[in-house]
Amino acid sequence: MDVVTGIETVGPELPRHIEPFHGIGNQELWVEHKAGPSGWPAETTYRIRLRPGDPVPSFRDPDVVVKDGWITLPTRDLLSRSLDGQMLQYSADGRHVVISQYWPRNPVGRAVVVNIDTGTWDSLLFGFTIAGSAVWSPDNRYLLGHQVNLGSRYTGSHRTAVYDLLNDEIVPVPVAPEIEDAICAGWYTSKQILMYTERKRVLTFHAINITTGERHKVNAIHLPAAPGFQARVRLAAGVLTSRADAITPV
C-alpha cells in the first residue's frame, strides 16, 4: 500500500519458502528457507543474481559458489524477522548487501556485509541486527539497527544503535524516553537517523542525531487505512528516498 495515496497493489505469487530482495535495476537476491523435521525453518540459502554485463566477483571465501549468473553465499543461518523493515538490503550504489541473521532458539543475531565488487564477506559483531527501510547511511559508513545485550535467562536490553563500519563498532543512539517506542525508519542525513511513532494511524517522523540524541519533528503522515485496520506498518526499503514527495533534509 502507498502510505500517501492509499493505493494497494497485489504482487505476483511466489513459493512460500522463497523471498526476493531487490537492488538497483534488476539486481536481486533470493532467500530460500528450508524446513526441518518440525516444519519450522532450519536453514537458509542466499543466492545473488548478477546483472547482465557485471563482472563475476572473485570471492576470497572458497565456499562461495558462482554458477549460471548466481552467487551462492557461504552461510545457512536464518534470515532475521522484524516489523522495523527488511532484514536484507542493498546499498544505494548496489555494490553492497547487508543481511541480518539469527540462529534457532538464540535471540542474539548478527549482520553480514557482502561486497559484490571485491568479493569480500564480512561478519559484523554479534548482537547487532539491522532495522529500518533504508539502513545504509548516505555516506555508506553506518548501518541502522538494534543492539542486543543479554543478561541471565535471556533478559537484557534491546536498543537503537548504528554500526560504524569504518571503526568496526556498535554505537548506541541516545533516544528520549517519550519516544522509546519509536520505530526505526532510515537515515535523514549522514549523522541523523529517522524514527517514527504511530499514534491513532498517524506516523510522526523524528530526526535524531546519532551522537547527541538531539531531535526535531520532520513530518507526519495520516495513514489512509480502512476502519478497524490494526496491523503494524512496515515501510518498504527505500521509500524515504525513492519518490519526489518523500521526506528530505531541509
Side-chain angles (χ1 to χ4, degrees):
M1 181 183 70
D2 187 311
V3 297
V4 176
T5 66
I7 297 175
E8 297 183 3
T9 304
V10 178
E13 186 174 352
L14 294 169
R16 292 175 59 88
H17 66 293
I18 291 178
E19 291 183 78
F21 296 86
H22 300 279
I24 296 176
N26 59 353
Q27 271 186 322
E28 61 181 333
L29 193 153
W30 282 47
V31 181
E32 180 180 356
H33 306 286
K34 296 183 179 179
S38 64
W40 292 96
E43 64 177 32
T44 301
T45 301
Y46 302 85
R47 293 189 177 92
I48 302 175
R49 186 174 72 173
L50 296 175
R51 293 174 296 187
D54 280 356
V56 177
S58 178
F59 278 86
R60 300 174 185 174
D61 193 315
D63 293 328
V64 174
V65 177
V66 181
K67 183 179 179 181
D68 298 330
W70 289 83
I71 302 169
T72 302
L73 299 178
T75 177
R76 295 294 181 267
D77 294 327
L78 297 175
L79 183 69
S80 294
R81 301 293 178 193
S82 173
L83 289 178
D84 283 10
Q86 291 187 347
M87 293 289 93
L88 188 156
Q89 293 186 35
Y90 280 87
S91 60
D93 58 10
R95 298 171 58 189
H96 296 80
V97 176
V98 60
I99 307 170
S100 271
Q101 298 179 319
Y102 77 101
W103 302 266
R105 297 178 297 279
N106 189 338
V108 179
R110 69 171 178 182
V112 173
V113 173
V114 182
N115 187 320
I116 302 175
D117 287 346
T118 63
T120 54
W121 162 272
D122 297 320
S123 298
L124 305 185
L125 294 175
F126 295 104
F128 178 84
T129 57
I130 62 173
S133 63
V135 300
W136 291 89
S137 64
D139 58 4
N140 287 321
R141 173 172 174 172
Y142 299 98
L143 292 168
L144 173 60
H146 291 140
Q147 179 184 23
V148 180
N149 291 316
L150 288 184
S152 61
R153 298 184 179 181
Y154 292 102
T155 61
S157 62
H158 181 273
R159 60 188 301 181
T160 302
V162 297
Y163 194 97
D164 186 340
L165 292 164
L166 181 62
N167 294 322
D168 191 26
E169 63 179 357
I170 301 172
V171 181
V173 177
V175 177
E178 56 267 31
I179 60 168
E180 282 186 345
D181 64 334
I183 299 173
C184 295
W187 287 85
Y188 189 60
T189 68
S190 292
K191 294 297 182 181
Q192 294 172 297
I193 61 172
L194 275 173
M195 300 184 72
Y196 64 90
T197 54
E198 185 178 347
R199 306 281 191 267
K200 296 182 178 179
R201 307 307 296 164
V202 175
L203 304 184
T204 302
F205 290 82
H206 308 266
I208 303 173
N209 186 288
I210 62 175
T211 303
T212 66
E214 180 183 358
R215 81 178 195 277
H216 67 274
K217 177 182 174 181
V218 177
N219 200 356
I221 297 176
H222 293 257
L223 295 177
F229 182 78
Q230 298 295 328
R232 293 287 299 276
V233 173
R234 185 171 76 173
L235 298 180
V239 71
L240 299 176
T241 57
S242 63
R243 50 183 302 155
D245 55 353
I247 297 172
T248 55
V250 295

